[in-house]
Amino acid sequence: MNLVVEADGGSRGNPGPAGYGAVVKDTDGQVLAEAADALGVATNNVAEYQGLIAGLRSALALGGEGAAVEVRMDSKLVIEQMAGRWKIKHEGLRPLAREAAALAGRLRVSWTWIPRERNRDADRLANEAMDAAAQGDRWRPGSRTAPPSSPQPTTPPGLSPTAPPNLAATAPPGAGPTAPSSSGTTTPPGAGAVPSNLQTDLQAALHPAVSSGARATASSDGTGSGWMGPARTATTFLLLRHGETPFSVERRFSGTGDPELTPKGVAQAEAAAARLSRPPYEIDVIVSSPLRRAQGTAEIVAARAGLKVAVDQGLREVDFGAWEGHTFTEIQRRWPAELEAWLADPSVAPPGGESFDQAAARVQAAKERLLLDHKGKKVLVVSHVTPIKLLLRFALLAPSAALYRMHLDVASLSTVDYFPDGPELVRSLNDTAHLR
């Protein structure tokens, strides 16, 4: 099946109230599907990538695996980056680019830049979504919203409307002048906004799942919380780190080596199982890393929940190579230069091991598989420090350095909601209430 995806995104302020639009057509120009949504506060580049992701999702749903798709966008930055001709220099765009690449990898995609005037359908949808959000509403297929008569607030009452700092990146070599966005402003290629040190409600307010304060993610009972109303059904990942092992007791690097749980680790898994067997969790699916410490933890939860455990190889811990089984001090003494390079650059691997960038690619692919197979479900993912931190980093649109700024205890629980149009929201991180 041959399809055409036209996608766009814009931000009124850059960063500011943002939205995206995407349309899927057949080769005769017949519209087969439309998608659009507001993104809260975001940059043009983020909005354009979200439009691309929405278009690829729709094309995959229509054409299935292996369908031929021509992607047309007026964003030179996105087209050149996805085609592999420009580097992605801004950390905030890399998770979005990986998500788009994972979807594109299941299709046969060609990338075409088009002038803005030839991308009117997608541009119109993006602006309709932003207009709807400004009026306290959400975009719906077939809707047409008039621009608001006066500017509307995009943050909840009592919160500063000041946007998070903009982290700009330089243009790729040969990029030339920056390309105009669909809102008519000019953005340095790769520019984006990454929120930091925000409380839960503010994260929700600025997160793509929220449309200008009119909606937000649902609480565990689906009713919403605080000023936020109920939202569309999300797919929820409950991210459970395995219980204690001899390596974790001794603070040794534990990657693809396969230690089993200690008796205390088994007790921790049982405590997690007791918690997860009660409302509001109601787990539908359990998926585990192939390593014994994770599978052992998952099986304990599964026995209480009455479920089977599926295994996904993409959820295994990073391979620490020659450092496996060593303490940080031992590595610092024996491999000082290699350790310094590894800590400074996520593309550097330990001797004979795997880099964080390599691990990120397989974890991203695993995430896409799970979201496709378990839409709208509560999925318990039993894994390790690195894969769980990567999933949290992706959801937060955080740079690679964020991996060093998170702590995860053994048997801790973290939660991420994934919404049908792409946004992700972290609900909890390193929750150990069941271990007290």
Side-chain angles (χ1 to χ4, degrees):
M1 187 175 186
N2 295 323
L3 299 170
V4 174
V5 168
E6 296 172 1
D8 200 7
S11 171
R12 295 169 178 171
N14 198 36
Y20 68 78
V23 58
V24 182
K25 301 177 180 179
D26 61 21
T27 52
D28 294 325
Q30 181 69 35
V31 175
L32 304 177
E34 291 183 337
D37 207 351
L39 297 174
V41 175
T43 65
N44 290 315
N45 297 151
V46 167
E48 287 161 347
Y49 262 109
Q50 291 284 9
L52 171 61
I53 289 166
L56 290 173
R57 286 182 185 275
S58 296
L60 188 61
L62 285 168
E65 303 278 343
V69 177
E70 181 187 5
V71 173
R72 300 173 182 171
M73 297 182 69
D74 61 69
S75 171
K76 188 76 170 174
L77 175 80
V78 175
I79 289 295
E80 294 298 319
Q81 287 180 343
M82 293 306 300
R85 294 185 287 267
W86 288 1
K87 290 183 179 180
I88 303 170
K89 295 190 174 183
H90 189 265
E91 289 286 349
L93 296 181
R94 287 180 182 173
L96 296 172
R98 281 193 291 266
E99 185 173 357
L103 291 166
R106 297 163 60 191
L107 300 159
R108 291 182 292 121
V109 178
S110 60
W111 306 96
T112 303
W113 177 84
I114 57 175
R116 183 180 175 189
E117 59 268 18
R118 289 178 52 196
N119 203 26
R120 290 175 180 169
D121 288 336
D123 177 76
R124 169 181 55 80
L125 291 170
N127 279 286
E128 285 177 6
M130 288 185 277
D131 290 342
Q135 297 180 60
D137 199 0
R138 57 171 294 191
W139 180 89
R140 295 173 181 81
S143 65
R144 296 289 185 271
T145 54
S149 57
S150 60
Q152 301 296 310
T154 59
T155 53
L159 297 181
S160 169
T162 305
N166 193 31
L167 305 179
T170 58
T178 54
S181 73
S182 60
S183 65
T185 59
T186 300
T187 313
V194 181
S196 62
N197 300 324
L198 303 178
Q199 299 300 313
T200 302
D201 282 354
L202 182 54
Q203 281 184 320
L206 300 184
H207 193 274
V210 183
S211 179
S212 297
R215 72 178 198 285
T217 57
S219 62
S220 57
D221 62 1
T223 60
S225 61
W227 59 270
M228 301 181 292
R232 297 156 293 171
T233 301
T235 302
T236 298
F237 283 8
L238 301 164
L239 306 173
L240 179 64
R241 187 188 172 195
H242 61 78
E244 180 188 85
T245 72
F247 277 16
S248 60
V249 173
E250 298 172 7
R251 294 186 173 275
R252 297 185 180 275
F253 276 53
S254 183
T256 54
D258 217 6
E260 293 186 345
L261 297 174
T262 63
K264 183 177 180 180
V266 171
Q268 290 169 339
E270 289 172 344
R275 177 180 182 177
L276 292 167
S277 67
R278 300 189 296 266
Y281 298 102
E282 298 160 341
I283 299 166
D284 299 302
V285 179
I286 300 178
V287 184
S288 173
S289 152
L291 299 174
R292 285 187 297 179
R293 57 194 184 272
Q295 283 203 63
T297 302
E299 292 290 354
I300 290 171
V301 179
R304 187 180 283 257
L307 297 169
K308 293 183 178 180
V309 176
V311 172
D312 192 308
Q313 295 290 330
L315 298 174
R316 67 185 182 277
E317 181 57 286
V318 70
D319 183 353
F320 291 113
W323 297 350
E324 181 74 25
H326 290 280
T327 66
F328 187 87
T329 301
E330 291 169 346
I331 294 167
Q332 201 168 32
R333 288 172 179 168
R334 292 181 59 180
W335 295 277
E338 292 88 342
L339 179 62
E340 183 179 0
W342 179 71
L343 290 172
D345 187 346
S347 69
V348 174
E354 178 185 29
S355 73
F356 284 137
D357 279 357
Q358 290 170 321
R362 64 171 166 81
V363 172
Q364 180 72 21
K367 183 193 86 170
E368 290 296 330
R369 286 193 296 272
L370 295 178
L371 289 175
L372 183 66
D373 293 343
H374 307 296
K375 292 178 181 177
K377 300 295 182 67
K378 290 186 178 180
V379 183
L380 177 65
V381 176
V382 186
S383 188
H384 312 265
V385 167
T386 307
I388 293 174
K389 283 186 177 183
L390 285 168
L391 289 168
L392 292 166
R393 178 173 80 80
F394 297 159
L396 292 169
L397 299 180
S400 297
L403 293 174
Y404 305 105
R405 302 295 181 95
M406 288 184 264
H407 175 78
L408 296 176
D409 289 299
V410 286
S412 63
L413 187 67
S414 303
T415 309
V416 181
D417 283 346
Y418 300 87
F419 289 82
D421 52 356
E424 305 172 13
L425 180 66
V426 174
R427 289 204 159 276
S428 65
L429 191 157
N430 197 43
D431 184 349
T432 57
H434 50 285
L435 302 179
R436 297 169 190 163

